[in-house]
């Protein structure tokens, strides 16, 4: 079975400084079998690069998939146990815990100013966000489902990247996430974001929720637009990405909403 290559991944197209490296995996290039496999000719087959330890996948498959990704990136990866919260870890501290054989810390973002350490977000339908500063002094990766996004995970991550870099001019890249045409939410989700919005943001926030034409009190939510609004609140002007829908692209991405399986791909960022 062939090893993971860059051809199996997405390389973010953004204006990051030369020191910054980033990549986003797909469901191709690993060893996982269905229901965590890869998709070819309309059929799921072995060879999936599932990276979510909560998926129920075989441990030896997860370990091999993670080893392949680390080999491709050429740097150690600070894996987290994501819990849809706002906690941000320093990636070097995560690696120190890994070296001691300790369990991955519960957090949904990591940051670092040290080279050759990868911050990572595992996702499927949730939104991975990569952040760096203008000079390439620090980087961060955040996992932003709607709960974490509403609670401030992007604000926390950006603040720590800026503090490490000594530079408040930040760039952000939005990875693949569930698109507006598939992300059905209840009125309570809309209300959560509206209550957290400033008066100047309320109209734009409401515009991120489109009423379901057939089901009362249900909406189609634009997760990427909500993230852009939060990043704009931080005066982050350069925001790229956000064009991929995990739900509508089974050949490349896992999607819990589509498949009911908690598989996941990874979005990495590091400094050289």
């Amino acid at each position: 079975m062939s090893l993971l290559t860059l051809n199996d991944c997405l390389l973010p197209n953004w204006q990051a400084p030369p020191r910054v490296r980033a990549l986003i995996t797909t469901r191709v290039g690993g060893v996982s079998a269905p229901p965590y496999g890869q998709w070819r000719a309309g059929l799921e087959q072995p060879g999936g690069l599932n990276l979510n330890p909560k998926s129920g996948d075989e441990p030896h498959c997860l370990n091999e998939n993670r080893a392949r990704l680390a080999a491709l990136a050429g740097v150690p990866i600070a894996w987290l146990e994501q819990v849809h919260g706002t906690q941000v870890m320093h990636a070097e501290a995560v690696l120190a815990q890994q070296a001691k054989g300790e369990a991955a810390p519960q957090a949904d973002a990591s940051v670092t100013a040290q080279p050759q350490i990868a911050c990572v977000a595992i996702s499927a339908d949730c939104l991975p966000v990569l952040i760096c500063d203008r000079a390439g002094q620090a980087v961060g990766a955040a996992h932003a489902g709607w709960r974490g996004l509403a609670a401030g995970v992007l604000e926390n991550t950006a603040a720590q990247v800026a503090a490490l870099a000594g530079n408040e001019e930040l760039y952000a890249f939005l990875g693949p996430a569930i698109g507006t045409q598939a992300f059905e939410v209840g009125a309570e989700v809309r209300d959560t974001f509206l209550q957290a919005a400033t008066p100047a943001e309320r109209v734009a926030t409401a515009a991120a929720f489109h009423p379901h034409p057939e089901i009362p009190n249900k909406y189609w939510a634009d997760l990427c637009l909500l993230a852009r609004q939060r990043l704009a609140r931080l005066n982050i002007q350069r925001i790229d990405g956000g064009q991929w829908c995990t739900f509508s692209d089974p050949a490349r991405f896992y999607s819990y909403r589509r498949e009911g399986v908690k598989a996941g791909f990874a979005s990495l960022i590091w400094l050289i």
Side-chain angles (χ1 to χ4, degrees), residues 216-232:
N217 295 318
K218 291 290 185 179
Y219 297 85
W220 300 116
D222 191 331
L223 193 59
C224 286
L225 179 56
L226 291 167
R228 287 179 180 274
Q229 292 171 2
R230 288 304 184 98
L231 294 168

Side-chain angles (χ1 to χ4, degrees), residues 131-143:
I131 299 175
C132 70
D133 72 291
R134 177 188 61 186
Q137 297 299 309
V139 295
H143 162 256

Side-chain angles (χ1 to χ4, degrees), residues 30-180:
V31 298
S32 294
Y36 316 102
Q38 62 178 313
W39 198 265
R40 288 183 176 177
L43 296 174
E44 191 178 10
Q45 302 177 12
L49 191 76
N50 173 35
L51 296 161
N52 186 356
K54 295 182 178 181
S55 62
D57 199 354
E58 294 290 341
H60 69 89
C61 292
L62 288 164
N63 291 337
E64 174 63 20
N65 291 343
R66 288 188 168 195
R68 290 186 178 200
L69 179 55
L72 177 63
V75 294
I77 301 170
W79 300 103
L80 304 171
E81 181 187 348
Q82 297 172 179
V83 292
H84 296 277
T86 62
Q87 179 70 28
V88 182
M89 294 289 298
H90 285 255
E92 54 271 23
V94 177
L95 290 180
Q97 290 183 224
Q98 289 181 9
K100 296 177 183 178
E102 298 178 5
Q106 291 187 340
D108 282 82
S110 62
V111 298
T112 189
Q114 294 192 18
Q116 302 301 109
I117 297 175
C119 300
V120 62
I122 302 172
S123 59
D125 293 328
C126 293
L127 177 65
V129 180
L130 305 178
I131 299 175
C132 70
D133 72 291
R134 177 188 61 186
Q137 297 299 309
V139 295
H143 162 256
W146 76 261
R147 291 178 179 83
L149 182 59
V153 68
L154 295 188
E155 290 92 326
N156 290 355
T157 307
Q160 294 207 32
V161 171
L164 286 173
N167 182 355
E168 293 187 356
E169 186 172 343
L170 304 181
Y171 303 161
F173 188 88
L174 310 183
I178 191 167
T180 309

